[in-house]
Amino acid sequence: MLDDRLEGAPRKKALVEVRGLKMYFPIHTGLLRRKTGDIKAVDDVTFDIVEGETLGLVGESGCGKSTCGRAVLRLYEVTDGSVRVDGHEIAHLGPNTLRRMRPTMQMVFQDPQASLNPRMTLASIIGEPLREHTRLTKPEQLERVYELMDQVGLNRDFANRYPHEFSGGQRQRIGIARALALNPKFIVCDEPIAALDVSIQAQVVNLLEELQDRLGLTYLFISHDLSMVRHIADRVAVMYLGKIVELASRDDLYGDPKHPYTRALLSAVPEPDPREESRIQRIVLQGDVPSPANPPTGCNFCTRCPDVMDICRKVDPEYREIAPGHFTACHLYCETTTMPAEPTAAKEAFEPIQQGE
Ligand code: SF4
C-alpha cells in the first residue's frame, strides 16, 4: 500500500527506502509522569534515495528534518515504519546486527566543533571507527588515516594536532574524513555548512560533490539553505511539521513548485539580480508553525496556508504523485476532494510568483 505512493519514482536501484517512518517523542506530565501525548517530530514519511544521488531535505528549523535524518540512520529507536538501507531492514534491528550495518551508513554533523573530541588528536579522531570496526594493525590504521586526510585535503603534518588548532572548514573536513573511514555507501549530511563562514561553505560543498563522484556516495543532504540545496541536490523533499509535503526533481521543484508551502519558501530566497528581485512576489506566511505536540486537524499547513479551503481543516491531504516523479500532499491537486479551485485556477493563482522566478 505504501509502495503505491512511490509509483513513478525513479526506477534506478534505491539504496535507501523509507516507508511510513514515524518518530514520536512521548510527553509525560503530572506527578506520576503519565504519558499524555506525543511530539510527532516525524510523521509518516515515505521516500527513496537512489544509489549515487543526493536527496535534499529542506524546511524551517524545527520541522523534523534532522530528526528524520537521525531516525533513518537508527540513531533513534523509531516509533513505526520501515527503513531499508542497501537491502537491509534497519528500523527494528537488534544492537549487534545494527553494529555490523554501521560502516555502510554514516553522518556528517552540523557543528564540527561540538562533534569532535577536543582531547583527541586528528589521527585518533579519524582512526576511531577503524579501531572500533576493523582489525587493522596500528601502522595500517595510520596509513588509512593519511589516505583519508589526502582525500579531504588535510595536510598529513597535521595528524597530531588537536581540533581547536583548526578552522571551522578544516574541522568539517576532519568530520568528513571520519565519516569516510569505513567506506560507507550512504551519508546523512545534517546541515554540514550551516556553522561555517560563507566563504568556506562552497569549498565544503565542492568537496562533498568531488567525493560523491569519486566514491559513488549517496547523500541525504539536510539544509535550510534552499540555494545550496539547489546546487547540490538531484531531487528535493520539502518538510513541514514532521511531514514531507512535496518531493520532486530539483528542476521541477524550483521551476514549478506545487505545494503552497514550497512556493512560500522559494519566494523568500534572495535573488542576486536586482531586476529579477523586483519582480518576485514574496509570500509572507502569517502566524507561527504549530506545535508538533498539537498539530492542526486536517492539513498541517492549514493555519498558515494562503490557499486554505474548508476541506483542508477537516481532511489530511493524501501524499500522492501528481506528475511523474512529482509528489505532493495538498487538496489543490486531489481529484477526489470537493475543491473549489480547479488545477488550472490554482496555477493562475500562483502566476505572479512564476513570473518572478
Ligand atoms: Fe493549503 Fe489546503 Fe493544500 Fe494544505 S491542503 S497546503 S491548507 S490548500
Side-chain angles (χ1 to χ4, degrees), residues 316-340:
D316 191 9
E318 187 191 353
Y319 178 69
R320 59 191 291 272
E321 189 176 30
I322 55 166
H326 197 142
F327 297 81
T328 193
C330 175
H331 288 303
L332 288 172
Y333 306 97
C334 196
E335 293 141 11
T336 53
T337 51
T338 52
M339 57 180 190

PDB file of all heavy atoms in Angstrom, residues 316-340:
ATOM      1  N   ASP A 316      -6.907  15.379   6.163  1.00  0.00           N
ATOM      2  CA  ASP A 316      -5.464  15.412   5.901  1.00  0.00           C
ATOM      3  C   ASP A 316      -5.249  15.025   4.433  1.00  0.00           C
ATOM      4  O   ASP A 316      -5.670  13.942   4.015  1.00  0.00           O
ATOM      5  CB  ASP A 316      -4.791  14.392   6.838  1.00  0.00           C
ATOM      6  CG  ASP A 316      -3.282  14.523   6.837  1.00  0.00           C
ATOM      7  OD1 ASP A 316      -2.775  15.502   6.259  1.00  0.00           O
ATOM      8  OD2 ASP A 316      -2.619  13.644   7.409  1.00  0.00           O
ATOM      9  N   PRO A 317      -4.637  15.875   3.613  1.00  0.00           N
ATOM     10  CA  PRO A 317      -4.489  15.526   2.196  1.00  0.00           C
ATOM     11  C   PRO A 317      -3.547  14.342   1.999  1.00  0.00           C
ATOM     12  O   PRO A 317      -2.556  14.205   2.717  1.00  0.00           O
ATOM     13  CB  PRO A 317      -3.906  16.797   1.571  1.00  0.00           C
ATOM     14  CG  PRO A 317      -3.276  17.532   2.690  1.00  0.00           C
ATOM     15  CD  PRO A 317      -4.027  17.175   3.928  1.00  0.00           C
ATOM     16  N   GLU A 318      -3.875  13.519   1.015  1.00  0.00           N
ATOM     17  CA  GLU A 318      -3.063  12.340   0.733  1.00  0.00           C
ATOM     18  C   GLU A 318      -1.779  12.767   0.026  1.00  0.00           C
ATOM     19  O   GLU A 318      -1.791  13.657  -0.829  1.00  0.00           O
ATOM     20  CB  GLU A 318      -3.882  11.412  -0.184  1.00  0.00           C
ATOM     21  CG  GLU A 318      -3.259  10.074  -0.426  1.00  0.00           C
ATOM     22  CD  GLU A 318      -3.981   9.315  -1.539  1.00  0.00           C
ATOM     23  OE1 GLU A 318      -5.041   9.805  -2.015  1.00  0.00           O
ATOM     24  OE2 GLU A 318      -3.474   8.268  -1.936  1.00  0.00           O
ATOM     25  N   TYR A 319      -0.681  12.118   0.401  1.00  0.00           N
ATOM     26  CA  TYR A 319       0.607  12.357  -0.273  1.00  0.00           C
ATOM     27  C   TYR A 319       0.598  11.506  -1.539  1.00  0.00           C
ATOM     28  O   TYR A 319       0.563  10.284  -1.465  1.00  0.00           O
ATOM     29  CB  TYR A 319       1.728  11.935   0.668  1.00  0.00           C
ATOM     30  CG  TYR A 319       3.129  12.076   0.115  1.00  0.00           C
ATOM     31  CD1 TYR A 319       3.683  13.321  -0.117  1.00  0.00           C
ATOM     32  CD2 TYR A 319       3.904  10.949  -0.153  1.00  0.00           C
ATOM     33  CE1 TYR A 319       4.973  13.451  -0.597  1.00  0.00           C
ATOM     34  CE2 TYR A 319       5.197  11.067  -0.639  1.00  0.00           C
ATOM     35  CZ  TYR A 319       5.717  12.317  -0.858  1.00  0.00           C
ATOM     36  OH  TYR A 319       6.998  12.441  -1.344  1.00  0.00           O
ATOM     37  N   ARG A 320       0.552  12.151  -2.708  1.00  0.00           N
ATOM     38  CA  ARG A 320       0.374  11.378  -3.935  1.00  0.00           C
ATOM     39  C   ARG A 320       1.167  11.972  -5.081  1.00  0.00           C
ATOM     40  O   ARG A 320       1.612  13.127  -5.034  1.00  0.00           O
ATOM     41  CB  ARG A 320      -1.112  11.306  -4.303  1.00  0.00           C
ATOM     42  CG  ARG A 320      -1.758  12.660  -4.514  1.00  0.00           C
ATOM     43  CD  ARG A 320      -3.260  12.528  -4.598  1.00  0.00           C
ATOM     44  NE  ARG A 320      -3.680  11.865  -5.795  1.00  0.00           N
ATOM     45  CZ  ARG A 320      -3.914  12.485  -6.950  1.00  0.00           C
ATOM     46  NH1 ARG A 320      -3.755  13.799  -7.056  1.00  0.00           N
ATOM     47  NH2 ARG A 320      -4.302  11.829  -8.002  1.00  0.00           N
ATOM     48  N   GLU A 321       1.319  11.159  -6.113  1.00  0.00           N
ATOM     49  CA  GLU A 321       2.096  11.571  -7.285  1.00  0.00           C
ATOM     50  C   GLU A 321       1.189  12.331  -8.233  1.00  0.00           C
ATOM     51  O   GLU A 321       0.184  11.806  -8.705  1.00  0.00           O
ATOM     52  CB  GLU A 321       2.674  10.339  -7.980  1.00  0.00           C
ATOM     53  CG  GLU A 321       3.664  10.671  -9.061  1.00  0.00           C
ATOM     54  CD  GLU A 321       4.279   9.431  -9.649  1.00  0.00           C
ATOM     55  OE1 GLU A 321       3.616   8.371  -9.669  1.00  0.00           O
ATOM     56  OE2 GLU A 321       5.426   9.517 -10.118  1.00  0.00           O
ATOM     57  N   ILE A 322       1.518  13.587  -8.531  1.00  0.00           N
ATOM     58  CA  ILE A 322       0.656  14.397  -9.394  1.00  0.00           C
ATOM     59  C   ILE A 322       1.227  14.546 -10.808  1.00  0.00           C
ATOM     60  O   ILE A 322       0.543  14.978 -11.718  1.00  0.00           O
ATOM     61  CB  ILE A 322       0.412  15.793  -8.788  1.00  0.00           C
ATOM     62  CG1 ILE A 322       1.744  16.494  -8.500  1.00  0.00           C
ATOM     63  CG2 ILE A 322      -0.427  15.700  -7.526  1.00  0.00           C
ATOM     64  CD1 ILE A 322       1.577  17.973  -8.222  1.00  0.00           C
ATOM     65  N   ALA A 323       2.488  14.192 -10.971  1.00  0.00           N
ATOM     66  CA  ALA A 323       3.143  14.133 -12.285  1.00  0.00           C
ATOM     67  C   ALA A 323       4.286  13.132 -12.103  1.00  0.00           C
ATOM     68  O   ALA A 323       4.670  12.871 -10.958  1.00  0.00           O
ATOM     69  CB  ALA A 323       3.678  15.510 -12.675  1.00  0.00           C
ATOM     70  N   PRO A 324       4.827  12.576 -13.184  1.00  0.00           N
ATOM     71  CA  PRO A 324       5.870  11.556 -12.989  1.00  0.00           C
ATOM     72  C   PRO A 324       7.002  12.052 -12.079  1.00  0.00           C
ATOM     73  O   PRO A 324       7.646  13.055 -12.366  1.00  0.00           O
ATOM     74  CB  PRO A 324       6.371  11.292 -14.415  1.00  0.00           C
ATOM     75  CG  PRO A 324       5.195  11.612 -15.278  1.00  0.00           C
ATOM     76  CD  PRO A 324       4.492  12.758 -14.605  1.00  0.00           C
ATOM     77  N   GLY A 325       7.172  11.352 -10.966  1.00  0.00           N
ATOM     78  CA  GLY A 325       8.235  11.695 -10.021  1.00  0.00           C
ATOM     79  C   GLY A 325       7.979  12.928  -9.173  1.00  0.00           C
ATOM     80  O   GLY A 325       8.846  13.338  -8.416  1.00  0.00           O
ATOM     81  N   HIS A 326       6.785  13.529  -9.293  1.00  0.00           N
ATOM     82  CA  HIS A 326       6.482  14.748  -8.530  1.00  0.00           C
ATOM     83  C   HIS A 326       5.350  14.432  -7.544  1.00  0.00           C
ATOM     84  O   HIS A 326       4.218  14.166  -7.949  1.00  0.00           O
ATOM     85  CB  HIS A 326       6.056  15.868  -9.496  1.00  0.00           C
ATOM     86  CG  HIS A 326       6.115  17.239  -8.874  1.00  0.00           C
ATOM     87  ND1 HIS A 326       6.529  18.341  -9.567  1.00  0.00           N
ATOM     88  CD2 HIS A 326       5.832  17.684  -7.628  1.00  0.00           C
ATOM     89  CE1 HIS A 326       6.494  19.408  -8.775  1.00  0.00           C
ATOM     90  NE2 HIS A 326       6.057  19.015  -7.592  1.00  0.00           N
ATOM     91  N   PHE A 327       5.677  14.463  -6.262  1.00  0.00           N
ATOM     92  CA  PHE A 327       4.722  14.101  -5.220  1.00  0.00           C
ATOM     93  C   PHE A 327       4.350  15.333  -4.402  1.00  0.00           C
ATOM     94  O   PHE A 327       5.199  16.186  -4.147  1.00  0.00           O
ATOM     95  CB  PHE A 327       5.347  13.080  -4.256  1.00  0.00           C
ATOM     96  CG  PHE A 327       5.703  11.778  -4.909  1.00  0.00           C
ATOM     97  CD1 PHE A 327       6.879  11.660  -5.638  1.00  0.00           C
ATOM     98  CD2 PHE A 327       4.868  10.684  -4.817  1.00  0.00           C
ATOM     99  CE1 PHE A 327       7.214  10.459  -6.251  1.00  0.00           C
ATOM    100  CE2 PHE A 327       5.187   9.485  -5.434  1.00  0.00           C
ATOM    101  CZ  PHE A 327       6.369   9.370  -6.150  1.00  0.00           C
ATOM    102  N   THR A 328       3.101  15.389  -3.979  1.00  0.00           N
ATOM    103  CA  THR A 328       2.731  16.445  -3.040  1.00  0.00           C
ATOM    104  C   THR A 328       1.529  16.006  -2.207  1.00  0.00           C
ATOM    105  O   THR A 328       0.807  15.070  -2.582  1.00  0.00           O
ATOM    106  CB  THR A 328       2.464  17.790  -3.756  1.00  0.00           C
ATOM    107  OG1 THR A 328       2.415  18.828  -2.794  1.00  0.00           O
ATOM    108  CG2 THR A 328       1.150  17.779  -4.522  1.00  0.00           C
ATOM    109  N   ALA A 329       1.338  16.684  -1.097  1.00  0.00           N
ATOM    110  CA  ALA A 329       0.183  16.414  -0.235  1.00  0.00           C
ATOM    111  C   ALA A 329      -0.595  17.715  -0.114  1.00  0.00           C
ATOM    112  O   ALA A 329      -0.265  18.564   0.719  1.00  0.00           O
ATOM    113  CB  ALA A 329       0.648  15.935   1.142  1.00  0.00           C
ATOM    114  N   CYS A 330      -1.594  17.901  -0.993  1.00  0.00           N
ATOM    115  CA  CYS A 330      -2.364  19.146  -0.971  1.00  0.00           C
ATOM    116  C   CYS A 330      -3.696  18.919  -1.680  1.00  0.00           C
ATOM    117  O   CYS A 330      -3.737  18.313  -2.757  1.00  0.00           O
ATOM    118  CB  CYS A 330      -1.562  20.243  -1.683  1.00  0.00           C
ATOM    119  SG  CYS A 330      -2.480  21.780  -1.849  1.00  0.00           S
ATOM    120  N   HIS A 331      -4.773  19.423  -1.100  1.00  0.00           N
ATOM    121  CA  HIS A 331      -6.098  19.239  -1.707  1.00  0.00           C
ATOM    122  C   HIS A 331      -6.242  19.973  -3.034  1.00  0.00           C
ATOM    123  O   HIS A 331      -7.139  19.657  -3.813  1.00  0.00           O
ATOM    124  CB  HIS A 331      -7.186  19.719  -0.734  1.00  0.00           C
ATOM    125  CG  HIS A 331      -7.364  18.791   0.427  1.00  0.00           C
ATOM    126  ND1 HIS A 331      -7.670  17.464   0.279  1.00  0.00           N
ATOM    127  CD2 HIS A 331      -7.266  19.000   1.765  1.00  0.00           C
ATOM    128  CE1 HIS A 331      -7.760  16.891   1.465  1.00  0.00           C
ATOM    129  NE2 HIS A 331      -7.514  17.799   2.386  1.00  0.00           N
ATOM    130  N   LEU A 332      -5.388  20.940  -3.311  1.00  0.00           N
ATOM    131  CA  LEU A 332      -5.464  21.632  -4.607  1.00  0.00           C
ATOM    132  C   LEU A 332      -5.228  20.670  -5.766  1.00  0.00           C
ATOM    133  O   LEU A 332      -5.639  20.934  -6.888  1.00  0.00           O
ATOM    134  CB  LEU A 332      -4.413  22.751  -4.676  1.00  0.00           C
ATOM    135  CG  LEU A 332      -4.649  23.995  -3.837  1.00  0.00           C
ATOM    136  CD1 LEU A 332      -3.424  24.884  -3.870  1.00  0.00           C
ATOM    137  CD2 LEU A 332      -5.863  24.757  -4.332  1.00  0.00           C
ATOM    138  N   TYR A 333      -4.537  19.574  -5.481  1.00  0.00           N
ATOM    139  CA  TYR A 333      -4.180  18.620  -6.543  1.00  0.00           C
ATOM    140  C   TYR A 333      -4.824  17.268  -6.318  1.00  0.00           C
ATOM    141  O   TYR A 333      -4.374  16.271  -6.850  1.00  0.00           O
ATOM    142  CB  TYR A 333      -2.650  18.479  -6.605  1.00  0.00           C
ATOM    143  CG  TYR A 333      -2.008  19.823  -6.765  1.00  0.00           C
ATOM    144  CD1 TYR A 333      -1.513  20.499  -5.656  1.00  0.00           C
ATOM    145  CD2 TYR A 333      -1.961  20.452  -8.007  1.00  0.00           C
ATOM    146  CE1 TYR A 333      -0.974  21.758  -5.786  1.00  0.00           C
ATOM    147  CE2 TYR A 333      -1.418  21.703  -8.140  1.00  0.00           C
ATOM    148  CZ  TYR A 333      -0.928  22.356  -7.024  1.00  0.00           C
ATOM    149  OH  TYR A 333      -0.405  23.599  -7.156  1.00  0.00           O
ATOM    150  N   CYS A 334      -5.865  17.243  -5.497  1.00  0.00           N
ATOM    151  CA  CYS A 334      -6.511  15.979  -5.170  1.00  0.00           C
ATOM    152  C   CYS A 334      -7.856  15.928  -5.876  1.00  0.00           C
ATOM    153  O   CYS A 334      -8.736  16.740  -5.583  1.00  0.00           O
ATOM    154  CB  CYS A 334      -6.673  15.884  -3.656  1.00  0.00           C
ATOM    155  SG  CYS A 334      -7.026  14.237  -3.117  1.00  0.00           S
ATOM    156  N   GLU A 335      -8.028  14.958  -6.807  1.00  0.00           N
ATOM    157  CA  GLU A 335      -9.267  14.904  -7.596  1.00  0.00           C
ATOM    158  C   GLU A 335     -10.468  14.441  -6.784  1.00  0.00           C
ATOM    159  O   GLU A 335     -11.600  14.758  -7.096  1.00  0.00           O
ATOM    160  CB  GLU A 335      -9.100  13.924  -8.766  1.00  0.00           C
ATOM    161  CG  GLU A 335      -8.109  14.395  -9.775  1.00  0.00           C
ATOM    162  CD  GLU A 335      -7.260  13.247 -10.298  1.00  0.00           C
ATOM    163  OE1 GLU A 335      -7.595  12.087 -10.030  1.00  0.00           O
ATOM    164  OE2 GLU A 335      -6.260  13.536 -10.967  1.00  0.00           O
ATOM    165  N   THR A 336     -10.226  13.681  -5.722  1.00  0.00           N
ATOM    166  CA  THR A 336     -11.344  13.058  -5.012  1.00  0.00           C
ATOM    167  C   THR A 336     -12.001  13.995  -3.999  1.00  0.00           C
ATOM    168  O   THR A 336     -13.038  13.698  -3.476  1.00  0.00           O
ATOM    169  CB  THR A 336     -10.863  11.809  -4.256  1.00  0.00           C
ATOM    170  OG1 THR A 336      -9.757  12.195  -3.445  1.00  0.00           O
ATOM    171  CG2 THR A 336     -10.476  10.714  -5.206  1.00  0.00           C
ATOM    172  N   THR A 337     -11.405  15.130  -3.701  1.00  0.00           N
ATOM    173  CA  THR A 337     -11.997  16.028  -2.724  1.00  0.00           C
ATOM    174  C   THR A 337     -12.787  17.121  -3.445  1.00  0.00           C
ATOM    175  O   THR A 337     -12.539  17.431  -4.598  1.00  0.00           O
ATOM    176  CB  THR A 337     -10.924  16.692  -1.850  1.00  0.00           C
ATOM    177  OG1 THR A 337      -9.948  17.255  -2.707  1.00  0.00           O
ATOM    178  CG2 THR A 337     -10.287  15.704  -0.930  1.00  0.00           C
ATOM    179  N   THR A 338     -13.747  17.695  -2.735  1.00  0.00           N
ATOM    180  CA  THR A 338     -14.565  18.753  -3.331  1.00  0.00           C
ATOM    181  C   THR A 338     -13.839  20.076  -3.209  1.00  0.00           C
ATOM    182  O   THR A 338     -14.048  20.850  -2.292  1.00  0.00           O
ATOM    183  CB  THR A 338     -15.913  18.847  -2.601  1.00  0.00           C
ATOM    184  OG1 THR A 338     -15.621  18.950  -1.210  1.00  0.00           O
ATOM    185  CG2 THR A 338     -16.790  17.660  -2.882  1.00  0.00           C
ATOM    186  N   MET A 339     -12.923  20.296  -4.115  1.00  0.00           N
ATOM    187  CA  MET A 339     -12.138  21.515  -4.011  1.00  0.00           C
ATOM    188  C   MET A 339     -12.707  22.590  -4.923  1.00  0.00           C
ATOM    189  O   MET A 339     -13.084  22.327  -6.058  1.00  0.00           O
ATOM    190  CB  MET A 339     -10.674  21.252  -4.357  1.00  0.00           C
ATOM    191  CG  MET A 339     -10.447  20.669  -5.717  1.00  0.00           C
ATOM    192  SD  MET A 339      -8.707  20.428  -5.978  1.00  0.00           S
ATOM    193  CE  MET A 339      -8.706  20.049  -7.714  1.00  0.00           C
ATOM    194  N   PRO A 340     -12.793  23.797  -4.462  1.00  0.00           N
ATOM    195  CA  PRO A 340     -13.341  24.855  -5.277  1.00  0.00           C
ATOM    196  C   PRO A 340     -12.432  25.256  -6.437  1.00  0.00           C
ATOM    197  O   PRO A 340     -12.895  25.661  -7.479  1.00  0.00           O
ATOM    198  CB  PRO A 340     -13.504  26.019  -4.296  1.00  0.00           C
ATOM    199  CG  PRO A 340     -12.642  25.706  -3.143  1.00  0.00           C
ATOM    200  CD  PRO A 340     -12.469  24.238  -3.106  1.00  0.00           C
TER     201      PRO A 340
END
